[in-house]
Structure formats: structure tokens, C-alpha cells
Amino acid sequence: MKRATLRDIAQAVGVTVATVSRALKDYPDIGSATKQAVLAAAERLHYAPHPLAVKLRQKAYKVVGVVVPQIVHPFFSGVISGIVDVAEAQGYHVILSQSDESYEKEIRVTQMLQATGVDGLLVCLSDQTVDVAHLQALQAYDLPVVLFDKISSALDASTVVTNDFQGAYDATAHLLAQGLTRVAHIKGPAHPENTRQRYAGYLAALAAYGLPPRPEYVAECQHVVHAEGFAFAQQFMALPEPPQAIFAVTDAVAVGALMALRQAGLRVPQDVALVGFSDWAVCELLDPPISSVAQPGYEIGRQASELLLREIQQLRDDEPVAHAHRVLDATLRVRQSSLRAADFSPAVR
Amino acid sequence: MKRATLRDIAQAVGVTVATVSRALKDYPDIGSATKQAVLAAAERLHYAPHPLAVKLRQKAYKVVGVVVPQIVHPFFSGVISGIVDVAEAQGYHVILSQSDESYEKEIRVTQMLQATGVDGLLVCLSDQTVDVAHLQALQAYDLPVVLFDKISSALDASTVVTNDFQGAYDATAHLLAQGLTRVAHIKGPAHPENTRQRYAGYLAALAAYGLPPRPEYVAECQHVVHAEGFAFAQQFMALPEPPQAIFAVTDAVAVGALMALRQAGLRVPQDVALVGFSDWAVCELLDPPISSVAQPGYEIGRQASELLLREIQQLRDDEPVAHAHRVLDATLRVRQSSLRAADFSPAVR
DNA sequence: ATGAAAGCGCTAACAA
DNA sequence: TTGTTAGCGCTTTCAT
């Protein structure tokens, strides 16, 4: 059945479209007889206002676009959830795209999003993205952009990120505070800012405890996977003076390390303490449960969404748009994998 | 800066909007001089066509809405990813909403989605949804709806689901085929169709092996969580004749059971074999890795998306809309938790 | 090669 | 109380 329009109702009732329009949104001055007739006709014809026409007329689209590297990822799905909740509370909708960590696809989807007419964009850059001209182009067309998680200083835009430095510092300090002095770190690749921050936090904590960094206690992942954690843990344990603790850049790496340690017959945390990063659900389920640094994914989504909606509003009101830079604290969740026995018992017996 | 329109360019160049419109999409008959001027002006004014105006004119919105109970969920994020990939490949965008497993919110978001003007809807019903009048209302307005995962036969619509019966049958048969005869099942709540299907698959496999169901080997979860798996595993092991294997309705429940078995000093799989359902990432990481039945989330999303887009097309072409019902196979992933020692060693020694 | 004009479906200021 | 008119921004037929 063809979609009914105001005109269809107008013809059926024998009035003009203007009258129908008013009757449908109970205007003050409207004859109750015609109103009834209009309402009845609308019902009968399955009338629903054409949203595009309304939006065009009122110049309010109320849709924002989101680009993440991957949708299937515990961190990003949390971020998306936060974005959607805030946006919907303000009457906005969220269009979702993934870049698959590809620079080319990121360009493609941002342009598609623009072509759809979104009011603004929330973007987490792909690992491959070095140039941000595609985003600057959007800004040139008065489309506000907010970056989150993986950001670029080359773009003049609001940003929301986790405080990776502080999270890593806390994790390392937690190990050092228990009297451990030989703490190793399995770090991420050299490039991305967030893994660099985690490394920096590790070094800063060592320095705070007056411990010089030991190169043999630092390993660098290429792909940040399970297998690397496994291999590097073995490598550490083969050292003449093996570390007493390992801080891993990611939970996947920490899990790999745990497997290696277990296989080597070492007890966690009694022989080697372990801390991961991201606080995946798996941390709680392993034996022993792994300590990890939780990233506030949902909150990052919320704040990024709020910043974007605010900028959209400012732009609409011809107010100056102020960019904000939010850095949200990470939270160390201490579990058994990093608590030395002494911490369980009341005192030395 | 105010958004530039065709008229702005027309005034700047000194032609009419029609000419500008043609110049911008290189029409055959267009003076190269004016064309250059128009292009230059468009560039200078940061012109971009107003998407809503274009869509209104061309009557093609190209956006579909998705409603899932929760975005942060490994299964649903996989489904969403499949939906987005298919939709984008066909030039559609995806608007995402979550019902938070609330019937009221599900109604609210579907109505919001309709008001935004989506061309169709992909819906996974919330656990609380019993009535589907809100979806029938959408259909009455010529808006196609496709249900996936949690569906309702009360709605005359296409559906895409996992073959839970077959998945459960395979899991149970895999245990029975190894010569185990005492296989227990921790089932889900009585109501939802998919957990009922899993129970039915379990029973069918027992029957196929000529084994009568034993009531003491079946437990029913209320919330389908970790703790329930833990408690029921303990309960099973306290039986005079404890089961040799446990098939759990969900991985969370299986993990709980694993913890209980390990704590009781039982070896998995030598003393008790274990199989879960859903194939969460955690299954591979545990010790021993847990066998599980994988649900094709991404593929469910793909097919649901394809069905919806096809129906949208059929509706636009005034063709009859054919509803389809897809049931996708689940895949048993056998890991160490369900492989008896005999399967590892060449023979009895 | 370009202009004039109609219209997508809706809203709202102004008239009557 | 209702109709008339203009217009959101764009496309496209029909003139010229």
C-alpha cells in the first residue's frame, strides 16, 4: 500500500493540507468536527508523517555517526553503548560504521556518513590512520567531529581518552608497593599513543620507587596477542635473575603469560605476580583471577557523545564552539594474580 | 559558517540553480566555462548537497534500524557487525538501539526509529516481550520488520535464528559417542524458545543412544549465570552416582561448573567432561580449554540484513514480499574439556 | 547551453 | 476556524 500523505487525507476529508496538518497536532483553533474527520481519515489511511519532509522543513536531522575500528570488541561495544544511551536521551539516533582498522575504509565510511547527512561524527581512528585530511574536510563543511580512544593531535577537535599513563603507573606501583623490585613489562608496539603511555607509566612508577629500568625486563609485542605474552614470559623466566612480577600491556598478553608461567610450574602470584590491562571479563574467570586496569569504555562513550551534541547545538545557535579534552581515569582492579601471600594473611606468623 | 546551497552558488556565478545542479553532476549539455565557474564557486563555498533534500526528492532514505537487548554482548556485537557490513555494501546505513531487555524501552525505541524514517527494522526481542503489537503497527505502516535470535511466532515476519536443537544434540552426542552414559544438563529458564530447544536437543541425543533421561541429571537455571553453574555442578557431584559429563546451556554456566569441579579436586575431562554453549572467547583461554557450541552471530546478522534489504526492495518495486525463515547451524568446537584421555592416546596401554 | 517552473511532503506566517 | 501562499534544498521536464 502506498504511503499516505497529508494531501490524501485532505482530499478524503475535503479540506486543505494546512488544515490537516493543524488538526493532526491539535492546534488551538480547529473545528472539532473537521478534527474528528481528519483523525479518522488519518487512521484509516495508515497515515504517518514523512520524517524526511519534516526534518527538511525543520532543519533538524538529529542523527550522529560513529566510526570504530571494530564493533566486535568488548571495549568498543561498551563505548558504543554509552554513545547510544546519551544520544537517545537527547532525541538523537546513532548510525554505526566500522573501519576494520583500515585507513581507506575509514575514509570511505566517513564520507558515506556525511552523505547521509549526520549532524556530527564520533571517531576512533584506525591503527593505520596517520593523515586526518578526511576529517578536516568534514570540519570544513561545518560538521563537528569528536575523537575518542585513538586520537590525533593533527585534528583540532574535542577528544576523550583513558588515562593510560596513570593506569599503568598504578598497576606498576601496586606491584612495587608490595616490596617487589624486579618488575617486567610486556609493552605494545612503538607507535600507538596509548601503549606508549602505558610504557611511560611503568617507567615512571619504577623511577618513583628509585628503581632503574632494566632493558632485559622489557619486551615489545608486534601484534599484542596471547602467543606473544606466552613467549615473552618464557623468555623472562629464562633470565639468570627472573622478574618477580609482570605487567602486561593487555589482558590477552597477560593471559598468554599466565599460561607460560603455569606450564613452567610457577605459581601465580607466589612466584610471579601478574597484572593485565583492559579488565576483560575473562580476568575474573581465570585461576587465579587476573588483576587488571579497567578502562571506562561506557563513560568514554557517554562523554564523547555529550561533547558532540553540545558542539552540534553550539553550531546551530551560532555560538563559538569550544573544544574539550577529557582524560578519564583507569581503575586498577586488584585480584589474586598480583597479591602476594603476605597480603592475604593478617601478619607474619 | 552557514551551509552553502545551490542558490548560493547560482547567485555567485550568475546562473540559475538548475544550471548549477546540472554542472555539479556533469550533465552532457553544459558550457565548459560555466561548469568551471560553478565548480570553483562550489569549492570556495564548501558546498555539499543537502542529503535530506536529495533523499526527499528521490524518495530513498537508505537507512535501517536495529534493536538488540544489549549492545555490549559478544553475540550481539557479532550480529551487529554482520548487519552493518551487509547494509553498507548495499549503500544503506544502520541506526542502532538497545532495549536493555525492557519491553517498554523496546516499544519506545522502535517508535523513535520509525519517526526517524528508517526503511526497515531488524529486531531481537527482549526477554520481557510477550506482545508484538508495537511491531505489527510498524508493518501496518508498510515498514518491513525482520526478527532474529529471539523471535515470536505471533508476528508474521522473516526470521533468522541459530539451530539450538541441533547444536545441543551435537554436543550431547559427542559426549555419548565417547562411551559416556551419565550425561547431565544444566538447562536455561523454562520460557525462552532457544534454551528450550537446547534442552530438547539434549533429550533427543540421549534417546538416540537408547538412554532414558534421568531427572536428577537435569538442573534449571533462573538467571543463567556463573554461580548457578557452580552450585549445580556441586549438586551433581554429590549424587550417589554422579554424572560423567555435564552439558551446560551457556558458557558462563560451564565456567562456573568448571570452577566447582576444580575446587572439588576433580579432573576435567578425565573425571568429568564438560561442554558449554555460545563459544565465548574465554573457552579457549581456560585450563582446560572448554568445548562449546558456536553460534554464527555474524552470519545471523548478514542474513537478517539481506532479508530485510530484499523486502525493502520488493516493497519499493510493488512486488509481493516473501517472508523467509532461516535456521543456521551451530558448530560444536571440541576442545580438551570434553575429550576423554582415550582420545589423546593411541590405544589402551 | 540555460532558464523557468513544478513538485517531493511538510510547516507556518499571513489572510480571510 | 480555515484557506492561501511561500519555502525547506534539490531534481527534472519542458521550453527557449
Side-chain angles (χ1 to χ4, degrees), chain A residues 176-253:
Chain A
L176 299 171
Q178 293 180 77
L180 306 177
T181 53
R182 304 197 305 277
V183 177
H185 178 47
I186 305 179
K187 67 192 288 288
H191 186 64
E193 186 60 21
N194 49 1
T195 70
R196 288 174 56 186
Q197 286 293 322
R198 291 177 200 176
Y199 179 49
Y202 160 76
L203 292 178
L206 287 184
Y209 278 76
L211 294 167
R214 295 172 60 162
E216 72 272 28
Y217 283 174
V218 175
E220 183 171 310
C221 290
Q222 295 307 309
H223 309 290
V224 199
V225 292
H226 191 244
E228 289 174 314
F230 192 94
F232 288 135
Q234 288 187 323
Q235 177 184 309
F236 285 148
M237 291 309 133
L239 290 173
E241 192 179 37
Q244 302 161 301
I246 299 175
F247 165 48
V249 69
T250 273
D251 288 327
V253 173

Side-chain angles (χ1 to χ4, degrees), chain A residues 80 133 135 164 197 207 227 230 285 287 289 347:
Chain A
I80 293 166
L135 299 179
D164 289 287
Q197 286 293 322
F230 192 94
L285 301 176
D287 185 30

